Amino acid sequence: MGKTIIIGGVAGGATAAARLRRLDETATIILVERGAFISFANCGLPYYLSGTIGDVSALTLQTPEGFAARYHVDVRVRQEAVDLDTTTKTVTLRREDGSQYTETYDTVILATGAKPLKPPIEGIDHPKVFTLRTIPDTLAIRALLESRKPKQSIVIGGGYIGVEVAENLAKAGLAVTIVDAQPQVLAPLDYDMACDVHKQLERKGITLQLNTSLKSIHANEDGVTVALSSGTVAADFVVLAIGVVPDTALAAQAKLQLNERGSIIVNELLQTSDPHVYAVGDAIAVTEFVSGTPAFLPLAGPANKQGRMAADNICGRYSVYRGTQGSSIVKLFDMTVAATGLNEKNAKRLGVPYEKSFTYSASHAGYYPGGGFLSIKVLFRPDTGKLLGAQLVGFDGVDKRCDVLATAIRAGMTAYDLTALELCYAPPYTSAKDPVNMAGYAIENILTNSTQIFHWHDVDALPRDGSVTLLDVRTPAEYARGHITGFVNSPLDTLRATLHTLTKEAPVYLHCQIGMRGYLAARILSQCGFTVYNLSGGYRLYQITQNR
């Protein structure tokens, strides 16, 4: 293998170094990291702010000394690669004191990652505006919390890092406002699934300012004043979590091929446009697994896999990276949110044909105490039922259901396959029909025309002039607590007795609370000659999408 220089540590770089050594004991391996830490749990950084992780050393997965001793790797921290010359196959490194020197290489792995997005806004570099990407970032915020005892904080950006920071600042006793220019938090979700997250954040005392953009930040005697499109807000400090961009200045200097976003373009072997230079992690453009289109999906799991695969290929093993499907998960207090594959926004953008189904299932047997409900949205191909993506929000068992669905998508399975999955059952863990099975059954009913559906965003456009029949098949008590304008209460259990009052000339649009009773009512009516549509997700989903 010869000599490999790995530029960047953390997930991809450190993984590649360890894998190279396991495959070749004689290789020369140099790992260069401009920071002081070569391998740390950056996904755990927000939890140090609240004290959930009490010792910062717990975030350091490997010290430079320990890593060097175990893997016989030449680890060089606090050094930055400032020039990559692919013609002479040399890397120029700059030490902390400014001095420079050159190393030759046989292969290079670029694991330079991503950096926080900092738009050119007045005050963005104020000392009380923080980002959270590294251990020093975390230590700086924690030091402020301990020394100044701040009360008010603003988080700009409602992505995964933003909401995790907000949760942990709230746990630390601060008032927190999340500001996001989009109409929702957590972009991997669609708006309808994010609505449950909005409710959760507000229940926990976090203020949301959505559809709100950052204009400027100004210092004052006590902290900062943040100018937003909606007005001004005062705070002791700001955490900027707008997002990240690929950190590819070195690749650009080396004239490696980049895409329009600045990500390094690699082939399936993770080689750049120079075959002796590999690239992994957040710096690269990946193929989105479901659609096969280029994407920027900075996630720790794929970065680790890519580091291993690049090492394999350098050592002559044929290891192909087959794409990233974006499986991700986040904890928000006692709620869990997870997603995998395509969401509806991206399916529309890419022109991928899809239908969607919403189910709301108990996380385990209803008679066993301590359970909750899972809200599940699944996207699928309307012709074949092939699974395209899933989003889940709930309080128990979200992770394992999303992992099952992620596996099913990776395996190219259909909704029919979900109905056949034999998943572990005992009352403390699930029901005999697991929520994944139930999602499959709901989609199977759509694919086989056992039911026709309509969606929450179709409701308000339905005519109220009598040309269609609008029914609410919940109980009178449920109807009295709230109902959709124009829908007449006709409870499921008395529906058969009132069929004679309905006309078959008018299509029937009906709903229940979550969709199940609506399905039963639709089966009764369709078998009696009516054309029927059931509201997927029911009144619950419609109501929660209307409350912002």
Side-chain angles (χ1 to χ4, degrees), residues 477-493:
E478 290 174 294
Y479 187 84
R481 287 194 292 269
H483 58 270
I484 303 173
T485 302
F487 280 72
V488 176
N489 191 212
S490 182
L492 171 63
D493 292 343

Side-chain angles (χ1 to χ4, degrees), residues 14 84 109 140 207 257 268 274 300 314 333 355 480 501 545:
L84 171 60
I109 300 176
T207 300
Q257 189 176 0
E268 63 182 7
D274 183 298
I314 288 171
F333 301 95
E355 180 55 282
T501 67
T545 60

